[in-house]
């Protein structure tokens, strides 16, 4: 085939688009082109950004004077020129060294003059050549050239056939993925029969750099060149595939955002037609509420900043909810909103007497407290801590104080609290953040000066979440709580006008720094007479109402009430008594509901309703030597304690202690025994006996832990009674700590112990001389039927406690 026979090559002469210049060469055509002789001397046309491959038709815009002259001269002749790529695209007038040595023989198909003055030629590559030597530089380059032969694989090479097949498939896939390549290109590639032209066509049209295309042109072996082209195509295909995935993903995200935007705009339009946007209405409501608040300038500035921040936020954002919670807290907290106090002390006395029977000293202290507040006028309240056993009315006292002062009442239970953030709140950065319970309760009660009960403050715990009792140090310090800092609020809040009243059962459970900030008011237990009055005035009417009875349907006489108190309750408070009355009320309710007659409430009927009594703290007698009644204090009030000592013959005398005793109690037993060993002459005890007998001290009810120094005198008396076989005086109880020198030391909880002794039927009590003032402080009505002996030395105790009467001796 002649090079000029273009119709047979399928080449069109227009330049409508690149697809018009896709020559579909057959293998025979290609062989004809490869066998045609190359001229020895060729004019050299330098190309920038382009490499011409054999068989490929490309348009080239010619702008340099030398290049235009060359095209004009040879377009008139045989139209065969040499095309070589420049090494650098930046060189305007390339010299011989600036050109690659391998190029392509090109046939000028057509020359066109463009409207902008440039000249465009359409050329087709024929064969590759190699420049041997430049022989002319003006008016354009000419060089002596030689053929650059191509090494083709055998037709039977299966690997090469697979490479060509893979090239076609990959090229078609790239055409499909690339938006810049016409779809006709895929059809053209599939219709190329010649492997060599296929490789050249793909090399010419792929998006490789000029240097990379030149490298492909210079590879003589067709199989190696096809592998190089395939490697590049695979990289390009992976990039296009990745780009396509990214475009599809971003398109989907963009479509979703656009859809949400248009929907939100439609909702906004509908809401405006219906009367405005919900979010805007909400913000306007916040601003209206803010006008009525009594906050200071600093809080007002913070609110304005936060409301402006809320207006800028997207309502669908996760932070929007946290922001609205914060603003709502600012608006709902009672900033400087105070109730008017009623400092009428007579009215306060009436309220306290009406709500609580007894507790005169406690009421007196509360009235003093209110009087100081009235005279000070600044409402800065000291912190009260009501301390006493359960069920004596500590929490209800706080409610009565609020009622008397005309303040609002709020109660916060601290039992089991272990997380510091319960007091100080969480930071806003946490999910589900909220203010601490102090501010939450103030928000609930809507007052900055309520009576705030901190219930069970001794039962606050601590773990890895922090120590809440340390956080309470700021809350319960009148000098610090005017600037209480909550982590969620992030502002100082004034708690100085709040009347905090703490309650506890055990002072030892409160850390010293916290205890130091509070004024301790002891709330002691009740006598039988007081319990009787409390039951008649408060407990029975309450249970009548809760059980749905009428007043006439539940009548309990004083005698029966006293029997219940004496037989079924052994507590300092009245909680268990209320449960017994509740049981009786329910029993009566059953009879009424069945339309039966209500049985008369006698002692026998009470036993039938409540069952047998399990109260064991009754005086059990001192018929045997070695048995002594002691007095102890527990968290639920006072109790009597039975101390028993027995002796047994042994070659190696030892002391045994049983009854779940603590270390302090064991030390008291050792002290008592050592004192007797050192002073056997006081009781005419043979010293040899201490070496011949085992001593066993037991305190019954081993399931109950017992500790403390209060049983020291009772243990000494019990050991002395066991060794002398002298019985202990009847209806006698004792309490006091001892020393190795035989001194009797004072102990605490005297009132609770005296009440326990009275409940148990004790008539006489031995106390340390230093405890006399504690007894004088107790109301005389509590002491009826009791006599007291005050001692300083153990000798006095033994003289008072041990009778001359002896038990029959076994030794």
């Amino acid at each position: 085939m002649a090079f000029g026979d273009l119709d047979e090559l399928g080449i069109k002469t227009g330049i409508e688009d690149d697809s018009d210049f896709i020559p579909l060469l057959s293998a025979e055509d290609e062989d004809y082109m490869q066998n045609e002789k190359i001229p020895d001397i060729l004019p050299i046309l330098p190309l920038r950004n382009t490499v011409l491959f054999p068989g490929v038709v490309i348009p080239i815009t010619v702008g340099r004077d030398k290049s235009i002259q060359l095209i004009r001269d040879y377009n008139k002749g045989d139209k065969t020129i040499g095309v070589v790529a420049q090494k650098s695209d930046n060189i305007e007038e390339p010299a011989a060294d600036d050109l690659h040595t391998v190029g392509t023989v090109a046939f000028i198909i057509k020359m066109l003059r463009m409207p902008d003055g440039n000249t465009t030629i359409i050329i087709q590559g024929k064969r590759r050549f190699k420049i041997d030597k430049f022989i002319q530089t003006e008016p354009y380059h000419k060089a002596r050239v030689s053929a650059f032969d191509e090494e083709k694989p055998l037709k039977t090479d299966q690997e090469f056939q697979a490479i060509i097949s893979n090239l076609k498939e990959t090229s078609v896939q790239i055409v499909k993925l690339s938006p810049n390549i016409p779809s006709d290109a895929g059809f053209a590639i599939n219709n190329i029969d010649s492997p060599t032209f296929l490789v050249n066509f793909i090399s010419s049209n792929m998006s490789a750099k000029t240097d990379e295309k030149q490298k492909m042109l210079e590879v003589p072996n067709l199989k190696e060149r096809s592998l190089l082209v395939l490697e590049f195509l695979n990289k390009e295909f992976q990039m296009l595939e990745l780009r396509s995935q990214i475009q599809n993903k971003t398109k989907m995200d963009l479509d979703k955002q656009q859809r949400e935007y248009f929907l939100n705009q439609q909702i906004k339009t509908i809401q405006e037609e219906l009367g405005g946007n919900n979010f805007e209405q909400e913000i306007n409501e916040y601003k209206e509420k803010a006008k009525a608040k009594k906050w200071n300038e600093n809080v007002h500035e913070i609110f304005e900043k936060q409301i402006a921040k809320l207006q800028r936020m997207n309502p669908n954002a996760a932070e929007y909810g946290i922001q609205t919670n914060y603003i709502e807290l600012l608006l709902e907290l009672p900033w400087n909103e105070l109730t008017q106090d009623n400092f009428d002390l007579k009215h306060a006395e009436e309220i306290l007497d009406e709500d609580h029977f007894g507790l005169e000293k406690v009421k007196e202290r509360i009235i003093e407290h209110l009087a100081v507040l009235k005279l000070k006028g600044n409402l800065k309240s000291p912190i009260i801590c009501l301390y006493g056993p359960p069920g004596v009315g500590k929490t209800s006292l706080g409610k009565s104080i609020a009622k008397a002062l005309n303040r609002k009442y709020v109660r916060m239970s601290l039992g089991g609290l272990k997380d510091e953030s319960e007091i100080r709140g969480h930071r806003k950065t946490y999910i589900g953040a909220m203010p601490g319970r102090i501010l939450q309760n103030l928000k609930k009660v809507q007052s900055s000066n309520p009576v705030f009960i901190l219930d069970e403050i001794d039962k606050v715990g601590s773990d890895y979440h922090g120590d809440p009792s340390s956080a309470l140090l700021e809350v319960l310090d009148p000098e610090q709580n005017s600037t209480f800092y909550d982590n969620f609020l992030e502002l100082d809040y004034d708690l100085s006008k709040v009347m905090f009243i703490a309650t506890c059962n055990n002072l030892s459970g409160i850390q010293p720094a916290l205890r130091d900030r509070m004024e301790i008011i002891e709330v002691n237990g009740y006598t039988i007479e007081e319990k009787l009055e409390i039951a008649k005035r408060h407990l029975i009417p309450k249970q009548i109402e809760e059980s749905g009875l009428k007043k006439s349907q539940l009548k309990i006489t004083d005698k029966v009430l006293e029997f219940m108190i004496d037989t079924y309750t052994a507590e300092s408070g009245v909680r268990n008594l209320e449960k017994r009355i509740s049981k009786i009320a329910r029993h009566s309710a059953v009879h009424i509901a069945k339309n039966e007659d209500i049985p008369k409430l006698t002692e026998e009927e009470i036993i039938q309703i409540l069952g047998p009594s399990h109260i064991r703290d009754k005086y059990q007698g001192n018929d045997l030597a070695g048995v002594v009644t002691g007095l102890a204090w527990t968290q639920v009030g006072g109790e009597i304690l039975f101390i028993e000592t027995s002796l047994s013959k042994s070659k190696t005398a030892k002391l045994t202690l049983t009854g779940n005793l603590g270390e302090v109690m064991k030390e008291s037993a050792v002290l008592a025994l050592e004192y007797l060993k050192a002073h056997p002459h006081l009781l005419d005890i043979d010293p040899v006996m201490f070496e011949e007998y085992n001593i066993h001290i037991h305190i019954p009810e081993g399931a109950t832990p017992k500790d403390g120094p209060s049983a020291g005198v009772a243990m000494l008396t019990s050991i002395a009674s066991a060794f002398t076989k002298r019985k202990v005086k009847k209806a006698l109880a004792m309490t006091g700590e001892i020393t190795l020198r035989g001194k009797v030391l004072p102990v605490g909880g005297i009132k609770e112990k005296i009440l326990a002794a009275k409940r148990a039927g004790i008539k006489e009590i031995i106390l340390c001389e230093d405890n006399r003032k504690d007894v004088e402080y107790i109301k005389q009505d509590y002491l009826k039927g009791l006599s007291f002996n005050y001692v300083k030395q153990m000798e006095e105790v033994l003289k008072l406690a041990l009778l001359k009467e002896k038990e029959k001796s076994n030794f």
Side-chain angles (χ1 to χ4, degrees), residues 8 346 430:
E8 293 186 21
K346 289 184 178 179
Y430 294 110

Side-chain angles (χ1 to χ4, degrees), residues 538-550 554 578-579 581-582 585-586 589:
H538 302 286
L539 303 184
I540 293 175
K542 179 183 176 183
Q543 291 305 320
I544 286 173
E545 183 180 348
E546 290 186 359
S547 302
L549 303 175
K550 296 178 182 177
L554 183 64
E578 184 176 11
K579 292 176 184 176
I581 295 171
S582 174
R586 293 194 302 272

Side-chain angles (χ1 to χ4, degrees), residues 350-362:
E350 290 172 2
I351 294 293
L352 291 173
D353 288 337
E354 181 184 337
D355 293 347
H356 295 83
F357 183 80
L359 305 178
E360 279 75 17
K361 294 294 181 182
V362 178

